[in-house]
Amino acid sequence: MNILVPFGHVFAPRGHRASWFAKILPVHRVIFSVLVIGRFVDATNGLNSTEMQRRETQLHSLIDSRMLDGRDVPPSLPTNVSLGLHFLSLHSVDVVSGQIELGLWRRMRWSDQRISWDTSADSEFEHVGAIVKDPKDVWVPDALLYNSAEKISADLSEDVKIWYSPDGTGYWSVPGKVNFVCDSPGEPGERPYDSDLAASLGRKWPAKIDLTLFPFDTQYCELKFGGWNEGGKRMNLKLMDPGPDGHSTPPIDGLLSSNSWKATVAGAELRNMYYLCCPGQPWPQAYYYIVLSRAYTDHIVNIFLPVMLAVCCGFLGFWLPPHSGERIGLGVTCLLTIFAVMFITNDSLPKTKNFTLLSLFYLFSLLFTLLTLMTSAVVISLHANGDRIRLIQSDWYSVLDTLWTATAKAASHEPFEKVFTKKSATDSVKEKRDISDLTKGRWPSCEELAAIIDAVGRGTIPSSYLAFILLMVCAATTKNPDIISIGSLLAFAVALVFGILTIFIFTLLRYKFQIASQESLYSRQGVVNTNLNHFELLKYRQDFMSFDKDKSGNIEVGELVEAMKSSGHDLGNEDARRCIGLADCDNDKSISFSEYVNLFEAAKLRQQFTYSDTQNRCAYAAILFGCWDADRVSKWLVHKGFSELVSTFERNQVDGAILVGLTEMQLRDDLGIASIGKRRQILNAIDSLIHEEITLKLRKGHDLNEDVDLSHSSIDISET
């Protein structure tokens, strides 16, 4: 202990070093003794470390001598080996190559009596509780990962030593990362083999990486462990029973997760397999079933919602007026938005040769946006080119009139050359009335057709897109890729087209029958100006319907007053009756459609009337006498002294409009009046009647114009 004296001299205070050290020397001695005893003496068994090292070395030498010729020989035939896996983390999932990397512990337990020793009280190895051996010096079980993506021995670290207990039980826990291939061989739907496990999990293994439902896909992978050199007759592989630590296999004890995936170990089972190479030799194999679910929140927020909002914004174009000019711009903007989302997210999406749910979502979103854009283009085109198309339709109706006339003449066996000869007044009126029957139940005009297309698109395209989204949701929630297979989507597209066409045709026919009903209620019958085409007549009909709220076919006093009030004009009942009386030819206290049209046609003619203009004079006269029926004409004939001609005029149904347009040739050929004198008398009487009536009306022209202007409010009330 004198070795501490110099240290005492050093640490002692200056001038008192010797006396100071003398006082604390006994304490130094005690501390030094404890340190020496703790270093070189085993306080538990009374053996120093040198003795313990000697005995352990002796035990290792004994075991090595036993294993000298048995490192490749199992301790027994067969040797029971328990295999267990404890999964720690999910590192990566490569869906393109199908490789998955997991962090885990592979644990194995077996018994080897060659590595056992006596721990009784009189044994020299009494105090050796356990030893560790290098795997190269002892026999180790042959349990490798069959579907490893790397070389078959590089999946786990083999440098970890094996822990042995005195009874020869070896425990080998090897940590590491496993890179395995998810695509496993075998027919789909074979595993799990165990019926109870299959009932709880479903036979979904073996499986391949399937991206059909991306990004809502779920991948079913498996780890397959088994002996490569040691068959079932040499090594009996079993699954490790759960231990007290709770980390044994099957480790259905937690959820592995990464930023993009969630992995669950669904279960494990053991199966003996037989191969052609080794008949009668079972090969035990352990299957660990793993379910990988993709985290799809990021895809919903960054892909699905922006694209769906863009498509829905495009649908808003159906509610914009066609003449606003913004419908095409809105559709193109929504289309470009979808392309922008596709371009931005393209690099982060897996590359696959098959259609995925996301790619189909992109495709159909573009399709519905293009369909909306095309519908808007058609509607705007119909509105913009309506006048030009109406001219074409007018020419077509002219041709139709001629063909109809030719057909009617041919059916009556009349020579064809007479078809284009000058017709009598009676024939002209009859033919034009026959022609008017062709336009009953007519097809809609350009503006009406545009409104129909808009209504059909507004009702079918958004609802069809909603049905497609529900189809995607159903496929994602049920995990059934057959819902979005090519056949299913083709069937959906066919049903979509068929549904849109069916609704369009139904709406068109419904509109046609509605127009037919309107034209039956507001018919051409009684309209004096038979030269009005159906477009002009349609304008009158639309204006008339704005007054005829009860759709009775007549404008009554209350309806006229109500219409004027809605336009901001206070019209009393008496004024309304006076206005109605201007056009009421049949004295029923209301204005029929024919009276309405005749009133405004007369106003038009009077604005351009000159008495010297024979054509205008005759046309105006036809309107003035348009209210005369055949009985009124008969009374006029009696009054003028032509009683003998009453039966002839009645037989030919000559009314006021036909009367004022009669010519000498028509009197001779159509009415059979052979006497030239009688014909001249009739024509002179007609001219006198026209002259007197027109002169009378011209004298009241100022008052009549005011009345007509007031009635003209039915066309545009705001101009009243």
Side-chain angles (χ1 to χ4, degrees):
M1 297 302 173
N2 294 331
I3 190 171
L4 294 179
V5 174
F7 290 95
H9 177 72
V10 172
F11 289 108
R14 185 180 298 273
H16 301 281
R17 289 175 179 174
S19 60
W20 179 84
F21 182 75
K23 293 179 181 180
I24 66 172
L25 182 59
V27 179
H28 280 77
R29 287 180 178 178
V30 173
I31 295 174
F32 181 81
S33 299
V34 172
L35 292 175
V36 171
I37 293 172
R39 173 64 182 84
F40 296 105
V41 179
D42 190 335
T44 303
N45 51 32
L47 299 177
N48 57 37
S49 60
T50 304
E51 181 62 21
M52 288 295 298
Q53 289 178 356
R54 185 190 67 80
R55 292 188 180 187
E56 288 188 12
T57 302
Q58 183 180 356
L59 179 59
H60 278 281
S61 300
L62 177 61
I63 292 175
D64 290 341
S65 63
R66 296 176 186 174
M67 301 297 299
L68 186 61
D69 297 327
R71 295 175 182 174
D72 298 329
V73 180
S76 61
L77 296 177
T79 300
N80 294 324
V81 178
S82 298
L83 173 66
L85 298 180
H86 175 55
F87 296 86
L88 297 175
S89 59
L90 175 64
H91 292 282
S92 64
V93 178
D94 189 350
V95 293
V96 177
S97 62
Q99 296 183 13
I100 300 174
E101 190 174 274
L102 290 173
L104 54 80
W105 294 349
R106 185 191 65 181
R107 294 167 172 175
M108 290 189 290
R109 182 183 291 115
W110 68 95
S111 179
D112 192 344
Q113 294 300 319
R114 296 171 298 184
I115 312 177
S116 62
W117 61 93
D118 186 12
T119 57
S120 59
D122 56 350
S123 173
E124 60 178 335
F125 306 121
E126 175 187 0
H127 301 292
V128 181
I131 62 173
V132 292
K133 297 293 293 183
D134 192 287
K136 298 178 181 178
D137 297 333
V138 295
W139 178 86
V140 293
D142 179 23
L144 301 178
L145 180 60
Y146 277 28
N147 55 335
S148 174
E150 300 175 352
K151 61 181 181 178
I152 203 165
S153 60
D155 51 355
L156 294 168
S157 174
E158 302 292 341
D159 298 332
V160 179
K161 297 185 182 300
I162 305 172
W163 185 86
Y164 282 95
S165 58
D167 61 354
T169 300
Y171 184 76
W172 194 19
S173 180
V174 181
K177 291 191 295 185
V178 172
N179 191 0
F180 67 99
V181 179
C182 185
D183 294 347
S184 53
E187 293 296 329
E190 285 185 344
R191 296 190 283 272
Y193 299 105
D194 183 72
S195 58
D196 295 335
L197 190 60
S200 61
L201 302 180
R203 285 193 165 92
K204 300 177 181 179
W205 293 269
K208 295 183 177 181
I209 294 290
D210 187 5
L211 296 177
T212 304
L213 297 177
F214 174 84
F216 305 99
D217 54 322
T218 298
Q219 307 301 333
Y220 298 92
C221 304
E222 62 183 0
L223 289 170
K224 184 178 180 181
F225 282 89
W228 191 258
N229 296 313
E230 305 287 353
K233 293 182 178 181
R234 294 168 59 88
M235 182 184 68
N236 185 21
L237 190 63
K238 296 181 179 180
L239 294 179
M240 187 178 293
D241 295 331
D245 57 355
H247 294 296
S248 299
T249 300
I252 315 175
D253 57 353
L255 188 68
L256 308 179
S257 63
S258 65
N259 291 331
S260 302
W261 293 88
K262 294 183 293 184
T264 305
V265 183
E269 68 173 342
L270 194 66
R271 183 76 174 180
N272 286 328
M273 304 298 295
Y274 294 87
Y275 299 98
L276 296 177
C277 65
C278 315
Q281 172 78 346
W283 293 87
Q285 295 175 0
Y287 295 91
Y288 291 87
Y289 303 115
I290 301 175
V291 179
L292 297 171
S293 299
R294 191 187 300 271
Y296 50 79
T297 305
D298 182 68
H299 296 85
I300 292 178
V301 174
N302 296 323
I303 297 179
F304 284 93
L305 286 181
V307 173
M308 290 173 61
L309 289 176
V311 176
C312 292
C313 287
F315 293 154
L316 295 178
F318 288 120
W319 283 268
L320 292 178
H323 53 77
S324 65
E326 299 298 330
R327 294 183 63 162
I328 298 297
L330 178 63
V332 172
T333 302
C334 295
L335 193 65
L336 293 177
T337 301
I338 298 176
F339 278 118
V341 174
M342 293 176 63
F343 178 77
I344 293 172
T345 60
N346 181 61
D347 294 337
S348 61
L349 303 180
K351 305 300 183 292
T352 176
K353 62 180 179 181
N354 299 322
F355 282 106
T356 64
L357 186 144
L358 180 60
S359 61
L360 292 174
F361 172 76
Y362 275 142
L363 180 62
F364 273 82
S365 296
L366 289 173
L367 177 64
F368 278 100
T369 305
L370 283 173
L371 192 59
T372 304
L373 189 60
M374 291 171 58
T375 304
S376 298
V378 171
V379 170
I380 293 175
S381 177
L382 287 174
H383 270 272
N385 301 311
D387 295 336
R388 184 175 60 84
I389 297 176
R390 271 193 290 271
L391 291 176
I392 297 175
Q393 288 180 337
S394 298
D395 295 339
W396 164 250
Y397 279 114
S398 299
V399 174
L400 187 63
D401 287 350
T402 304
L403 292 177
W404 178 263
T405 304
T407 304
K409 293 294 184 179
S412 62
H413 305 288
E414 186 174 347
F416 188 77
E417 61 271 9
K418 290 187 177 181
V419 173
F420 300 101
T421 59
K422 185 173 181 61
K423 307 176 184 64
S424 65
T426 306
D427 292 337
S428 300
V429 173
K430 287 184 178 180
E431 287 179 5
K432 287 187 177 296
R433 288 179 179 174
D434 291 337
I435 293 299
S436 67
D437 294 336
L438 287 177
T439 62
K440 288 185 177 180
R442 62 173 180 82
W443 298 104
S445 63
C446 297
E447 291 80 2
E448 295 165 341
L449 184 60
I452 292 174
I453 294 175
D454 243 356
V456 172
R458 184 166 53 245
T460 57
I461 296 179
S463 59
S464 300
Y465 186 70
L466 177 61
F468 170 73
I469 295 300
L470 293 178
L471 190 69
M472 299 288 102
V473 172
C474 182
T477 53
T478 60
K479 305 298 182 183
N480 185 6
D482 294 334
I483 297 179
I484 57 172
S485 62
I486 299 299
S488 300
L489 292 178
L490 287 177
F492 175 79
V494 171
L496 173 62
V497 174
F498 179 77
I500 292 177
L501 290 178
T502 301
I503 295 176
F504 178 77
I505 294 174
F506 174 77
T507 306
L508 198 60
L509 292 177
R510 178 175 174 273
Y511 183 86
K512 185 178 185 298
F513 293 138
Q514 182 180 1
I515 292 299
S517 176
Q518 292 177 1
E519 294 193 354
S520 175
L521 185 61
Y522 312 113
S523 65
R524 183 188 290 267
Q525 187 70 30
V527 176
V528 176
N529 186 3
T530 57
N531 293 318
L532 289 175
N533 60 42
H534 76 278
F535 295 109
E536 296 171 330
L537 204 62
L538 174 63
K539 177 61 178 174
Y540 279 122
R541 183 178 294 118
Q542 291 174 344
D543 296 333
F544 188 84
M545 289 173 61
S546 64
F547 286 93
D548 187 17
K549 300 298 183 180
D550 58 358
K551 302 298 184 290
S552 63
N554 294 285
I555 300 177
E556 299 173 352
V557 173
E559 292 174 334
L560 181 59
V561 171
E562 193 66 28
M564 296 300 293
K565 284 184 178 179
S566 63
S567 63
H569 296 82
D570 189 10
L571 183 68
N573 291 337
E574 292 298 328
D575 294 334
R577 290 190 184 95
R578 185 172 63 86
C579 292
I580 289 177
L582 294 174
D584 185 14
C585 294
D586 53 6
N587 296 319
D588 60 351
K589 307 302 181 181
S590 63
I591 301 177
S592 65
F593 178 69
S594 59
E595 293 171 342
Y596 180 87
V597 175
N598 292 338
L599 176 66
F600 289 106
E601 285 298 309
K604 290 180 182 178
L605 288 174
R606 289 194 72 255
Q607 290 176 357
Q608 56 185 355
F609 175 77
T610 57
Y611 189 74
S612 60
D613 189 345
T614 304
Q615 182 179 0
N616 283 340
R617 182 170 61 87
C618 293
Y620 185 55
I623 294 176
L624 290 178
F625 295 97
C627 296
W628 285 27
D629 54 9
D631 292 337
R632 183 76 177 273
V633 172
S634 299
K635 292 178 181 180
W636 178 80
L637 290 173
V638 173
H639 177 71
K640 291 296 182 181
F642 302 114
S643 303
E644 70 277 7
L645 300 177
V646 170
S647 59
T648 302
F649 275 66
E650 289 181 349
R651 185 171 57 253
N652 288 274
Q653 297 182 353
V654 178
D655 56 12
I658 298 176
L659 176 67
V660 296
L662 288 175
T663 63
E664 184 176 357
M665 184 181 298
Q666 291 171 343
L667 291 173
R668 183 191 62 197
D669 298 338
D670 297 330
L671 298 179
I673 301 176
S675 173
I676 186 173
K678 183 68 68 176
R679 293 197 300 269
R680 291 291 178 87
Q681 292 176 5
I682 295 174
L683 291 176
N684 291 334
I686 292 174
D687 288 339
S688 299
L689 176 65
I690 294 174
H691 177 75
E692 293 173 359
E693 189 68 21
I694 291 178
T695 302
L696 179 63
K697 294 295 182 182
L698 286 176
R699 290 174 181 174
K700 298 181 178 181
H702 181 71
D703 297 335
L704 184 59
N705 279 330
E706 290 180 348
D707 297 337
V708 171
D709 290 340
L710 181 60
S711 304
H712 196 269
S713 61
S714 59
I715 293 181
D716 189 356
I717 297 178
S718 62
E719 296 179 359
T720 306

